[in-house]
């Protein structure tokens, strides 16, 4: 199954932040799989270090590092342009 691909698609739909969070049940539903297959896929992602996986208070956060880095770069560029425009307006 393409559980990782389904998760990447969910990350893309969610503001392209490269991050998706939820309970195991919610994420299994998003990835169109059952809980057993999803848990297996999570263990595979952790073992191969394909994604950053965090468990906290019953929630799972899965981060695609490349998408997350691009999202942060885009946010930084937007802030940089905004500061530059404000600086030009004040002069």
């Amino acid at each position: 199954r393409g559980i990782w691909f389904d998760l990447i698609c969910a990350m893309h739909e969610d503001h392209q932040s490269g991050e998706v969070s939820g309970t195991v049940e919610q994420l299994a539903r998003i990835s169109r799989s059952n809980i057993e297959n999803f848990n297996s896929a999570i263990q595979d992602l952790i073992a191969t270090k394909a994604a950053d996986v965090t468990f906290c208070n019953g929630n799972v956060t899965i981060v695609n590092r490349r998408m997350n880095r691009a999202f942060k770069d885009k946010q930084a560029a937007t802030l940089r342009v905004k500061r530059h425009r404000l600086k030009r307006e004040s002069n």
Side-chain angles (χ1 to χ4, degrees), residues 15-73:
H15 308 294
Q16 299 179 2
S17 64
E19 186 174 311
V20 66
S21 296
T23 63
V24 172
E25 293 82 14
Q26 291 170 335
L27 294 178
R29 194 174 327 116
I30 288 171
S31 63
R32 299 181 297 162
S33 66
N34 58 31
I35 294 173
E36 294 81 25
N37 286 343
F38 181 77
N39 284 329
S40 175
I42 290 297
Q43 294 307 316
D44 190 37
L45 289 173
I46 292 170
T48 60
K49 298 181 182 177
D52 293 333
V53 180
T54 307
F55 297 94
C56 184
N57 297 330
N59 284 332
V60 180
T61 301
I62 303 170
V63 178
N64 178 335
R65 290 184 294 271
R66 187 190 62 78
M67 282 180 74
N68 192 261
R69 184 175 50 246
F71 177 72
K72 288 180 180 179
D73 289 347

